Amino acid sequence: ASSPVTLDTTATSYPRDHVKIENPKDTPYFLDNEFHASKTDKFIDLHDPATNNLVTRVPEMTVPELEAAVASAKRAFPGWRDTSVIARQRIMFNFVGLIKEHWDRLAAVITLEQGKTVADAKGDVLRGLQVAEAACAGPEYMKGEILEVAREMETRSYREPLGVVAAICPFNFPAMIPLWCIPIAVITGNTVVLKPSERDPGAAMVLAELAQKAGFPAGVINVVHGAHQTVNFLLDSPDIKAISFVGSNKAGEYIFAKGSAAGKRVQANLGAKNHALVMPDADKEATLDAIISAAFGAAGQRCMALSVVVWVGETKDWLAELAERSKKVQVNGGFEDGADLGPVVTPQSKKRIEELIASGEKDGAKIVLDGRGYKPSNYPDGNWVGPTIISEAKPTMECYKEEIFGPVLVCLTVDTLDEGIELINGNDYGNGTAIFTTSGGAAERFRRNIEAGQVGINVPIPVPLPMFSFTGNKKSVAGGGASTFYGRPGVNFYTQQKTVTAKWSSAQVAGKKNTLAMPT
Ligand code: NAD
C-alpha cells in the first residue's frame, strides 16, 4: 500500500492503490475569483469509488452564500458584456493553454473522484478542451447580418449576451460538461454560476483556478455546490436568465419544466439507451472491438455508451466470440496501468446496476457474461461491476427499457434491417445509435429512417466535435431539443438577437403624401 496523501488539487498523480486521504479537506466554493470555505453545517461525503475512502466533503451551500454567488455574477456582467469580444477571445486563448498545461492534474482528480481510468479521464478533458478551443472563434460566431432593406435604409442584427446563466452538471464527465457550458457562455459575454455534480466537483474547481489564472475578471465564472436545494435556488433566482442542464431524465424534466415556467431559457440533455445494429456484411473483428469499447468503456457511464446490440440475422452467432473477448477486459483501479475500466461511481449505483441485471434474469433473458461479484485484488472495497452481457432480451423487459448506466450490454435479435430500425425507433430515447455494415445502401437506409439524433456508420460513439453540436433527440433531450449544446446552436442559446433598422437620410420624397398605413 502507498503512503497516505492529502487531497491536493495541485497534484498531477496520486498513489495508485489504496489512496487514503488523512484529514480530507472540504471542497471550497469559488466566488469573485477566490476560493471560500462554506459556513454550512450540511456536507455530502465524497468517496473514491475504487476504495470508498473519504476524499472530501462537498458543502450544501447556504442561501446567503448562493445569493452572494449570483450577485457577484450579476455585478460582473455589465463590465464583461462591454469587454470587446477580441479581449474575451484573448483570455479564452489563455484558458485553453492552461487546460493543456494542467491536463494531467485534471485527469488525476477525475480518476480519484469519479473512478474512470486516467487515459479515459484525459479524454474527458480533451472533449471539453475542444469546446474551449472552438469558442476562441467567438468573434466569428458573434457576427451579425446586414441588409439594405430599402433605399437609404438598412437592418442589422446583433447577438447580445443574456446576463447571468447557470450550468448544472452530471457526475459522468466532470471536465467535459462544465466545458460544454463555460467557454460558449463567457465568449458571448455572459457570466456563469456553475454547479458541478456533488459526486465529483474537483475538476470544476481546478477549472475555476485556471479561469482565474487565464484572466477572467472576478465574478465572470463562479462555482457553487450542493444538490436539489442549490438547484432549486438557481431555478428560483430571477437574476438567472438561462439554465444549461445535463443529467438524468428525473432531474432534467423537472428542471426544464420549472425553469421554463419561470421564463428562463433551458437547454437540457438527458438519459439514453444507444443501440448498435449489426448487419451480416459488417467487418466482424472491427465491429466486435467497437462494441466492447463503447459498451464497457468508462464502466458504461457515458450518455453515449452503446448499451444495446441488435443482431441482424446470422450475426447473433457472433455473441459467443463477443463474450469471450469481453472476458479479457481489465477492470481495475483507474490509476492502475492496463486498466480498461474502473469502478462505478457509488455503492448505490452498483446496487441499482446489479438489480437491473437480476431483473433481466428473472424476466427470462440469459446472462451470458456476469460481472456481478467481481473484485480486483487490490481494491476489495470499491464499487465493482465487471462487463456483463444479457442476451435474448425483449423490448418489454426492464433491463432493456431502463438506462442501466453500468458496464452492461443488452442483446436482442431481428431478421432484417427494417425490423432493426423499427425496434430502435420504438425506444423512447434518441441520443445516439450506430450501424455496422459494409453496404452503403444499408447505411443510407438506416441514416434516413432512424430517429436517434447522432448516427454512427461503423463509428460506435458518434458524438460530433464542437464545430457541430450535440444533437440528441426524443426523450434524451427536454423541450424537443430546440437548444443544443456547443457549436453555433450553443452560441444561439447563450445570446439574444437584436435587430436595428436605420435610415440615415431625412430627405422627404417630393410630393409624397404621409400615410399611416404599413408600407407595401
Ligand atoms: P443526475 O440527474 O442525478 O444529476 C445531474 C445534476 O442534477 C447534478 O448536479 C445533481 O445535483 C442535480 N440533481 C439531481 N437530482 C436532482 C433533483 N431531483 N432536483 C434537482 N437537481 C437534481 O445525473 P447524474 O447521475 O449525475 O448523470 C448521469 C445521467 O446524465 C445519465 O442519465 C446520463 O445519460 C445523463 N447524461 C446525459 C448526457 C447527454 O448529453 N445526453 C451527457 C452526460 C450525462
Side-chain angles (χ1 to χ4, degrees):
S2 312
S3 61
V5 291
T6 299
L7 173 63
D8 174 2
T9 53
T10 59
T12 53
S13 68
Y14 294 92
R16 291 223 304 243
D17 55 352
H18 308 288
V19 175
K20 177 118 185 98
I21 294 154
E22 288 196 338
N23 307 318
K25 290 183 199 157
D26 295 339
T27 296
Y29 64 95
F30 187 74
L31 181 153
D32 278 340
N33 268 352
E34 283 174 4
F35 290 100
H36 301 265
S38 172
K39 298 206 167 43
T40 186
D41 55 3
K42 284 198 227 142
F43 289 88
I44 301 158
D45 288 348
L46 190 162
H47 297 99
D48 170 359
T51 60
N52 274 307
N53 291 330
L54 186 67
V55 171
T56 180
R57 299 190 312 162
V58 183
E60 294 223 41
M61 283 172 62
T62 65
V63 169
E65 288 166 352
L66 295 169
E67 282 169 350
V70 175
S72 151
K74 193 178 175 188
R75 255 192 327 274
F77 176 64
W80 185 241
R81 177 193 55 201
D82 292 343
T83 301
S84 74
V85 67
I86 301 295
R88 297 199 294 252
Q89 180 196 41
R90 220 168 279 139
I91 300 173
M92 190 61 69
F93 277 127
N94 296 343
F95 190 44
V96 162
L98 285 161
I99 295 171
K100 282 190 208 152
E101 214 176 286
H102 293 259
W103 198 327
D104 288 351
R105 228 183 111 196
L106 282 157
V109 76
I110 291 171
T111 299
L112 181 66
E113 293 188 351
Q114 200 271 359
K116 64 177 73 172
T117 65
V118 171
D120 203 35
K122 286 188 179 166
D124 186 330
V125 177
L126 174 63
R127 288 287 171 260
L129 171 64
Q130 288 169 327
V131 177
E133 287 172 333
C136 290
E140 186 63 29
Y141 281 134
M142 293 293 279
K143 275 187 192 164
E145 293 174 320
I146 186 163
L147 180 71
E148 279 186 323
V149 288
R151 199 161 65 90
E152 296 179 343
M153 188 185 280
E154 67 183 24
T155 299
R156 304 189 292 271
S157 67
Y158 294 82
R159 292 214 157 267
E160 297 186 343
L162 305 176
V164 183
V165 300
I168 301 165
C169 304
F171 82 85
N172 64 331
F173 282 101
M176 178 183 85
I177 307 265
L179 288 171
W180 278 7
C181 306
I182 294 172
I184 310 290
V186 300
I187 196 74
T188 49
N190 300 279
T191 57
V192 182
V193 177
L194 181 116
K195 192 200 89 63
S197 170
E198 62 277 23
R199 289 183 250 170
D200 50 19
M205 301 325 291
V206 176
L207 289 171
E209 180 205 306
L210 301 181
Q212 185 268 333
K213 283 202 177 105
F216 288 106
V220 170
I221 298 163
N222 291 329
V223 182
V224 300
H225 299 294
H228 305 192
Q229 278 173 19
T230 300
V231 171
N232 280 332
F233 174 88
L234 297 172
L235 290 170
D236 288 339
S237 169
D239 290 325
I240 290 178
K241 304 299 177 202
I243 306 259
S244 297
F245 171 84
V246 181
S248 65
N249 281 68
K250 183 165 174 260
E253 284 163 13
Y254 164 75
I255 288 167
F256 185 84
K258 192 162 176 188
S260 304
K264 301 183 197 305
R265 285 189 184 185
V266 187
Q267 56 177 181
N269 273 10
L270 313 177
K273 198 84 184 177
N274 309 303
H275 298 64
L277 185 122
V278 183
M279 295 295 289
D281 59 21
D283 175 332
K284 186 174 171 186
E285 299 295 307
T287 300
L288 294 182
D289 280 350
I291 291 172
I292 289 168
S293 65
F296 305 131
Q301 299 174 118
R302 294 180 180 136
C303 64
M304 285 292 282
L306 212 45
S307 52
V308 181
V309 169
V310 181
W311 304 114
V312 179
E314 69 255 32
T315 63
K316 59 179 176 297
D317 298 336
W318 298 5
L319 176 64
E321 193 172 335
L322 179 80
E324 262 330 291
R325 288 198 195 190
S326 302
K327 283 182 194 159
K328 299 194 183 104
V329 169
Q330 295 287 316
V331 184
N332 210 342
F335 290 107
E336 298 290 342
D337 290 336
D340 293 314
L341 59 105
V344 298
V345 69
T346 56
Q348 295 77 6
S349 177
K350 170 182 155 78
K351 182 166 173 279
R352 189 181 155 275
I353 294 164
E354 288 177 345
E355 283 168 4
L356 280 161
I357 299 169
S359 82
E361 210 169 15
K362 190 175 113 284
D363 292 342
K366 283 210 175 110
I367 314 295
V368 178
L369 183 64
D370 194 346
R372 288 172 293 181
Y374 176 81
K375 262 183 208 170
S377 54
N378 279 351
Y379 299 90
D381 301 321
N383 315 317
W384 304 105
V385 184
T388 298
I389 301 177
I390 304 179
S391 102
E392 297 178 35
K394 297 275 174 298
T396 49
M397 291 180 187
E398 210 186 336
C399 68
Y400 171 75
K401 288 191 294 187
E402 286 285 311
E403 181 184 37
I404 300 179
F405 227 52
V408 182
L409 180 65
V410 175
C411 306
L412 297 90
T413 51
V414 294
D415 292 327
T416 63
L417 168 64
D418 285 350
E419 273 178 48
I421 292 172
E422 196 184 328
L423 186 145
I424 298 170
N425 285 346
N427 193 279
D428 286 344
Y429 293 107
N431 217 30
T433 185
I435 184 170
F436 293 89
T437 182
T438 49
S439 156
E444 179 56 13
R445 191 171 177 84
F446 185 78
R447 193 274 304 166
R448 182 172 283 281
N449 294 303
I450 209 73
E451 291 171 355
Q454 299 173 100
V455 180
I457 297 170
N458 299 315
V459 173
I461 303 191
V463 175
L465 290 175
M467 56 296 291
F468 293 90
S469 196
F470 191 99
T471 50
N473 280 345
K474 295 164 73 179
K475 218 176 120 181
S476 296
V477 283
S483 296
T484 55
F485 283 76
Y486 62 79
R488 213 166 274 282
V491 171
N492 293 349
F493 178 74
Y494 286 126
T495 54
Q496 53 200 339
Q497 291 198 69
K498 183 182 278 173
T499 53
V500 175
T501 299
K503 183 176 175 214
W504 290 108
S505 161
S506 57
Q508 290 294 326
V509 179
K512 193 166 178 234
K513 188 176 171 296
N514 193 24
T515 166
L516 303 192
M518 256 192 207
T520 51

